[in-house]
Amino acid sequence: GWKAAALYMGVMGADGNMHGFVEGLEGEPLHEMYGTLKFISDIPNIFRPALRGLLRMMGEQRKSQLLSMTRSGGWSVREFYEIVADVEAFRKEWANFLRDERFDVVLFPGL
């Protein structure tokens, strides 16, 4: 769960500060449901390590993970390529698991 979520956030947040997401709204306001994600994406990078530690101490693992996989200003191309390589390794690991355990189908809930 956490590994897949972290990789997803790394890829989706690569451009930084939810730039692509907000631009895609073409001037419409951001839905309140995304407020926390936008807030986290806008936190200055200098504060992130201390804030991650504080969140972990408070038991907020998910928020700490979000801070580690997003970056104000986005990832560099090299960092993005590393995340993409991690996604590919995860995908291969998942596919191997399904094949080795002889799964015929995996059902996921709809959003």
Side-chain angles (χ1 to χ4, degrees):
W2 287 112
K3 186 175 181 181
L7 292 172
Y8 176 79
M9 289 304 302
V11 170
M12 294 305 295
D15 60 350
N17 307 84
M18 294 181 69
H19 176 76
F21 191 89
V22 172
E23 286 293 311
L25 294 173
E26 298 177 343
E28 291 183 36
L30 187 67
H31 190 279
E32 64 187 41
M33 184 174 79
Y34 295 101
T36 300
L37 291 176
K38 180 65 173 145
F39 176 79
I40 288 172
S41 73
D42 289 341
I43 293 172
N45 296 325
I46 195 162
F47 299 122
R48 288 171 179 266
L51 191 51
R52 277 195 315 263
L54 180 63
L55 286 168
R56 279 193 302 272
M57 286 190 316
M58 294 170 53
E60 295 285 354
Q61 298 301 320
R62 184 180 65 85
K63 290 177 183 172
S64 174
Q65 187 88 27
L66 282 173
L67 271 176
S68 69
M69 289 307 295
T70 59
R71 185 178 199 174
S72 182
W75 297 111
S76 70
V77 172
R78 180 186 55 78
E79 291 166 324
F80 179 67
Y81 286 168
E82 289 174 3
I83 293 169
V84 170
D86 291 343
V87 169
E88 181 61 18
F90 181 82
R91 187 198 64 75
K92 285 181 181 176
E93 190 178 312
W94 174 250
N96 288 338
F97 169 77
L98 294 177
R99 186 192 65 244
D100 294 346
E101 297 299 320
R102 305 178 70 96
F103 276 74
D104 292 321
V105 66
V106 178
L107 298 176
F108 293 100
L111 295 177

